[in-house]
Amino acid sequence: MKPAVPPANTAQAWQQLHEAACQPYRQAGRWAWHWARGKLARDPVFRGMLDRGDLPPKAHVLDIGCGQGLVASLLQACATLQAQGRWPAGWPRPSSASAYTGIELMPRDVARAIAALAHLPLQPRFVCADMCRAELPACDLVVILDVLHYVDHAAQLSVLDKVRRALSPHGRLLLRVGDAASQRGFAVSQWVDRVVTLTRGHRVPPTWGRPLHEWTVLLQGLGFAVRSIPQSQGTPFANVLLVADLARP
Ligand SMILES: C[S@@+](CC[C@H](N)C(=O)[O-])C[C@H]1O[C@@H](n2cnc3c(N)ncnc32)[C@H](O)[C@@H]1O
């Protein structure tokens, strides 16, 4: 068999990954498929993680507040691209998972995730649970994208402390939050969040934000070394991705 031709560049590879990561959602209904297409295309966080090499190879991934499991589908698509020898040289390192657990509060999202993704070779596991009460499995990468503001400040600290204990000594947390210090962007994020929550048929809960500085100090206090990556380019939001690494002996 002829070796597969590598994608010419990262833009082309991203196009292929987008297509592949959306495909499984066709069997979870039109809504799930359209949501995957729009979110993966418009939210800069997904491609950004590949551009920067934020996702370590062969990671044991825990995705908290995973929604319909877009990260799992993307990681499966990455694994397929690598197996075909088409990972582009322009990305710092291949991203992949050897295990994936998603924790999600909303049964409807969990049902969509299972319908779309349970059969994939990665065999992602989806647990319908409240992150504040759930036991977290041992892992080396935790992803929490736009979730922590749904619980109060004490609960945020308690979840982050559980995350630290679940992570391996050199584990990584990718935490996206809104920067409450950027009042306008944060207000827009909150407004969009409420509309989306309602559209998905959920009750709109109150939310608890923090300024970026406070998030950073909180994580440093738990023993993480923290880098912040702005996520608002091309959007009206005040989102920031915190790359938080443990370095325990
Ligand atoms: C804005 S969505 C983000 C979904 C996903 N992380 C993504 O980026 O596509 C926030 C998700 O967190 C979930 N969530 C909120 N509170 C939660 C809790 N206490 N435990 C688990 N999941 C929760 C919501 O149901 C929702 O699916």
Side-chain angles (χ1 to χ4, degrees):
M1 208 168 70
K2 276 203 236 160
V5 182
N9 54 44
T10 52
Q12 196 182 340
W14 174 249
Q15 221 175 9
Q16 293 170 7
L17 285 177
H18 177 268
E19 204 53 43
C22 294
Q23 184 62 27
Y25 289 100
R26 282 188 180 277
Q27 60 200 67
R30 287 176 66 81
W31 198 96
W33 183 66
H34 282 294
W35 179 259
R37 285 191 75 79
K39 179 90 173 154
L40 284 169
R42 284 188 211 104
D43 188 331
V45 74
F46 298 104
R47 176 161 175 191
M49 291 193 289
L50 303 179
D51 284 338
R52 290 182 302 272
D54 292 340
L55 303 162
K58 300 194 177 132
H60 279 225
V61 179
L62 170 62
D63 186 1
I64 298 182
C66 65
Q68 62 177 31
L70 295 178
V71 170
S73 197
L74 183 59
L75 284 166
Q76 177 63 65
C78 288
T80 306
L81 201 71
Q82 284 160 51
Q84 293 167 341
R86 289 156 58 217
W87 191 259
W91 277 333
R93 59 176 171 178
S95 303
S96 63
S98 51
Y100 171 99
T101 303
I103 294 180
E104 168 56 48
L105 186 63
M106 295 297 166
R108 258 189 273 188
D109 281 311
V110 174
R112 285 186 196 115
I114 291 173
L117 309 177
H119 67 284
L120 296 178
L122 175 59
Q123 296 187 311
R125 193 168 73 94
F126 294 97
V127 180
C128 189
D130 182 341
M131 63 183 166
C132 302
R133 298 200 185 93
E135 240 179 75
L136 306 185
C139 51
D140 38 44
L141 176 68
V142 175
V143 180
I144 309 180
L145 301 178
D146 312 333
V147 183
L148 278 192
H149 60 286
Y150 290 115
V151 297
D152 66 30
H153 284 175
Q156 290 171 0
L157 177 58
S158 150
V159 170
L160 290 173
D161 187 48
K162 279 203 295 185
V163 162
R164 180 183 56 109
R165 283 184 278 118
L167 274 170
S168 58
H170 292 271
R172 168 171 283 184
L173 164 65
L174 295 173
L175 172 66
R176 189 165 71 173
V177 292
D179 178 6
S182 163
Q183 288 180 0
R184 193 182 148 79
F186 189 68
V188 175
S189 308
Q190 297 239 304
W191 183 81
V192 171
D193 195 42
R194 275 155 210 254
V195 172
V196 171
T197 305
L198 273 176
T199 315
R200 293 163 83 203
H202 305 324
R203 188 177 58 84
V204 176
T207 53
W208 288 267
R210 296 175 189 264
L212 175 58
H213 171 71
E214 209 176 296
W215 284 113
T216 306
V217 168
L218 185 67
L219 290 168
Q220 286 169 338
L222 289 167
F224 288 97
V226 186
R227 280 184 294 128
S228 61
I229 298 165
Q231 294 283 294
S232 344
Q233 313 94 307
T235 78
F237 309 128
N239 289 336
V240 181
L241 182 69
L242 296 168
V243 180
D245 289 318
L246 282 178
R248 289 187 296 214

